[in-house]
Amino acid sequence: MSASAAIEPRIEPTSAQAARQAHILDAAEACFVRNGFHRTTMQDLAREAAMSPGNIYRYFDSKEAVVLGLAERDRERGAVLVEALERSGDRRGVLFGILAAYFTEMSRGAAILRLDLWAEATRNPAIGTMIERGDAEGRTWLIETFSAIAPGCDAAGLFAALAPLMKGIIVDRALDPHYEPGPAVRQLLALIDAGLAEKAAA
Amino acid sequence: MSASAAIEPRIEPTSAQAARQAHILDAAEACFVRNGFHRTTMQDLAREAAMSPGNIYRYFDSKEAVVLGLAERDRERGAVLVEALERSGDRRGVLFGILAAYFTEMSRGAAILRLDLWAEATRNPAIGTMIERGDAEGRTWLIETFSAIAPGCDAAGLFAALAPLMKGIIVDRALDPHYEPGPAVRQLLALIDAGLAEKAAA
């Protein structure tokens, strides 16, 4: 990960530092959602966090590093859910529960930030690498889970059919303040159900 | 359309003016794709079009007006395709041909611009209104066409199932320089086929 090594958080967190880092990430999320990733400056971020710019730079040396921190936090939160899946006997039930919760509970702000980062990824290689890495992890995890639930199913083909639908749900969530995720989530789970039931014709 | 009335092109086009307007729109498309909608200034646009800023302002009085001009041009191009559909006896064949061509031939630049405008729409009411208007027109046209091809099908439900998939295809096209649209387009047409075959259980 050479592209991301340069933008990793600068200091090893103690618990007070970890709390301060989390505080900065919350402030960043609020700024990015309100004004967009590109429009937000490190100064805006310091103001939102009620910290001096110099203090912010002790934790993150660029806006890209802040976004990487947000992505890392998302990944840790996801890992907690995945652990529940690994422990549970009912992999299918937990998979469906995780996907339904993810798309039903996603805030409009989180969806707007994602949309912003996709747009940014087309021009900013550090963000592009981060998005690719997150996508690749999600892809690997879903394909492995499909294969574990239904050995012999076309797990990669099923993922390919779902991927644009999942991205489109996030776009709809971002664009519509009154978005109702129920129908799209039901469609997503029905597609997975059908895909898992269909064994590969080999 | 009170929000868009303020940002309509300023002058009634003669054929020389129409050509100049088209030239500005081409330049704008190139700037927006390269640097993003938000980052592009009217000065950048003038430089790209090799015109004076004052001359650009004779045609479009804001960046929003330029984007509205681009949307209007897309709409006119779409109308030509729709006309072919109306003239043809084979509505299903022409519908499938139009959708396949739209998603297969969409350039990465066009997809990036769309992604950018979606992100902008979440914060800029003029752009939001423009996106909503385009989406509503597409929705009306597809639902009417589904109903004409297969009277009694759940046209609105079918559209709702397709809408996020179509948006997700555009996101994938924007993010991946080597995007291969074939599988997603086949999936889209297969979903429409299934939806048209399924009569509403009333």
Side-chain angles (χ1 to χ4, degrees), chain A residues 74-87 98:
Chain A
D74 279 352
R75 189 172 295 126
E76 282 161 16
R77 287 174 180 170
V80 172
L81 292 174
V82 170
E83 222 177 283
L85 179 72
E86 309 295 321
R87 272 200 309 272
I98 286 176

Side-chain angles (χ1 to χ4, degrees), chain A residues 27-38:
Chain A
E29 208 157 32
C31 285
F32 291 155
V33 167
R34 196 167 56 234
N35 300 318
F37 173 77
H38 185 70

